Amino acid sequence: MQDLEYVKSKVRDILDFPQKGIVFKDLTTAFKDPQAMAIMGRELSAMFAGKGVTKVVGIESRGFIAGAIMAYELGAGFVPIRKPGKLPADTIKATYDKEYGTDTIEIHSDAITPDDIVVIHDDVLATGGTMAAAYNLVKSMNPKKIYINFISEIAVLEGRKNLPAEAEVSSLIEF
Ligand code: AMP
């Protein structure tokens, strides 16, 4: 089996989570598999080799897992984007619409500098709302370049349409 097909085979569908009608792509089954973990770490890092990436920004919480591996492999720093009230120093916040209600995310206001080349990483692209908000937070700190990256993308939800047109978006696997 090809490497990426192997990773795909380790992603589990959970019906009606966290609410009725949602098919949740559960990557914990890929994270717990040593071979899938190795492939994800290697392939995600390879996508950005030679691009001069200085910071990988991971979105809480599943974006921390491969995001930290990418940062290590690329020789970059790691920056968390978290839910409100979790980061200890000065933050900037973005509030965005979700399917039901709104949500807020935060980043430390000194996390990114104009010299940075940034990859923002999350595990799954669904509607794209969270990533669009994360992009706006990072963009407000004026880095040289921002890449958007996911392990997997749920194509039918067309989340790419909700991401900024100027952003370079990539994912390892697609459902
Ligand atoms: P989004 O709709 O793209 O803003 O997704 C919000 C967050 O929930 C992201 O961190 C996604 O990884 C996660 N998420 C949303 N829908 C799903 C789904 N069907 N399967 C797995 N993760 C999801």
Side-chain angles (χ1 to χ4, degrees):
M1 198 187 294
Q2 293 240 318
D3 281 355
L4 296 184
E5 284 305 311
Y6 181 80
V7 173
K8 247 176 122 162
S9 76
K10 294 294 169 189
V11 177
R12 167 168 72 177
D13 280 357
I14 306 290
L15 298 183
D16 297 326
F17 181 89
Q19 46 192 286
K20 214 165 172 46
I22 305 279
V23 180
F24 193 86
K25 293 290 175 191
D26 178 17
L27 269 78
T28 65
T29 37
F31 291 136
K32 82 171 176 187
D33 183 274
Q35 198 183 334
M37 195 68 192
I39 295 166
M40 289 187 285
R42 186 184 71 223
E43 295 300 324
L44 287 165
S45 305
M47 286 170 118
F48 295 98
K51 293 193 189 297
V53 174
T54 56
K55 301 259 171 68
V56 178
V57 174
I59 301 179
E60 182 172 358
S61 56
R62 292 178 304 271
F64 293 174
I65 300 163
I69 295 172
M70 291 164 77
Y72 176 78
E73 291 289 339
L74 294 168
F78 179 81
V79 171
I81 282 187
R82 298 208 62 184
K83 289 161 188 150
K86 302 283 188 188
L87 289 169
D90 266 358
T91 62
I92 52 173
K93 303 181 208 318
T95 296
Y96 59 98
D97 288 327
K98 296 224 302 182
E99 223 171 334
Y100 305 102
T102 64
D103 224 336
T104 299
I105 51 173
E106 293 187 341
I107 190 169
H108 274 143
S109 46
D110 61 356
I112 305 292
T113 70
D115 291 334
D116 279 324
I117 296 175
V118 179
V119 178
I120 315 176
H121 170 82
D122 202 358
D123 69 333
V124 175
L125 170 59
T127 68
T130 309
M131 184 55 87
Y135 182 90
N136 290 336
L137 283 180
V138 172
K139 178 93 180 157
S140 74
M141 289 183 268
N142 294 311
K144 273 192 207 152
K145 170 102 187 153
I146 307 172
Y147 297 96
I148 288 178
N149 173 261
F150 302 91
I151 297 173
S152 80
E153 175 172 351
I154 306 173
V156 290
L157 296 179
E158 298 187 322
R160 283 188 186 233
K161 287 190 177 161
N162 291 324
L163 299 176
E166 77 267 19
E168 240 180 82
V169 182
S170 58
S171 62
L172 205 56
I173 55 179
E174 197 178 284
F175 291 100

